[in-house]
């Protein structure tokens, strides 16, 4: 169930569990409640310094996020607002995390 997956996403610190949950959310994207994309967005920003497991978790989160953004216009607008807020306040949590992921060498 998507609700159970979202709760697990919010409480777990294990990158492999995050990857598993994100894959489940991506498969269930059409059943996920509104604003789930924001939870994925925030979880990505909280991953911290990179390890191979965290990179895998990030890939899962970004895949699920991409799927959701194709289905839910409201979530797309909400995330756009959050990104604008980060830029306006200079608190670039998500953007910095994304840029640091992009600096990781390809495997």
């Amino acid at each position: 169930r998507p609700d159970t997956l979202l709760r697990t996403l919010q409480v777990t610190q294990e990158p492999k569990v995050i990857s598993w949950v994100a894959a489940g959310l991506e498969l269930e994207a059409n059943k996920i409640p509104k604003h789930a994309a924001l939870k994925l967005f925030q979880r990505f920003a909280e991953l911290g310094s990179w390890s191979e497991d965290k990179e895998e978790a990030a890939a899962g989160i970004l895949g699920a996020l991409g799927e959701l953004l194709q289905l839910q216009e409201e979530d797309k607008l909400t995330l756009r607002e959050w990104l604008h807020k980060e830029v306006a306040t200079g608190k670039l949590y998500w953007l910095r995390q994304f840029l640091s992921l992009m600096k990781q060498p390809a495997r």
Side-chain angles (χ1 to χ4, degrees), residues 39-68:
K39 290 178 173 70
L40 286 162
F41 182 83
Q42 291 169 326
R43 193 66 184 100
F44 176 84
E46 297 167 353
L47 283 174
S49 59
W50 296 110
S51 66
E52 190 172 320
D53 287 346
K54 286 185 179 180
E55 286 180 35
E56 186 177 323
I61 289 171
L62 293 173
L65 192 57
E67 191 68 28
L68 280 174

Side-chain angles (χ1 to χ4, degrees), residues 52-91:
E52 190 172 320
D53 287 346
K54 286 185 179 180
E55 286 180 35
E56 186 177 323
I61 289 171
L62 293 173
L65 192 57
E67 191 68 28
L68 280 174
L69 294 179
Q70 290 180 23
L71 297 171
Q72 298 181 6
E73 187 65 27
E74 187 176 334
D75 277 350
K76 189 184 293 187
L77 295 173
T78 300
L79 293 186
R80 188 178 301 143
E81 288 175 24
W82 271 80
L83 286 169
H84 283 290
K85 187 187 304 182
E86 279 198 359
V87 171
T89 63
K91 297 177 181 176

Side-chain angles (χ1 to χ4, degrees), residues 7-19 21 43:
R7 279 194 299 279
T8 302
L9 179 73
Q10 291 179 290
V11 298
T12 189
Q13 296 300 314
E14 288 295 320
K16 290 185 185 222
V17 175
I18 293 169
S19 295
V21 167
R43 193 66 184 100

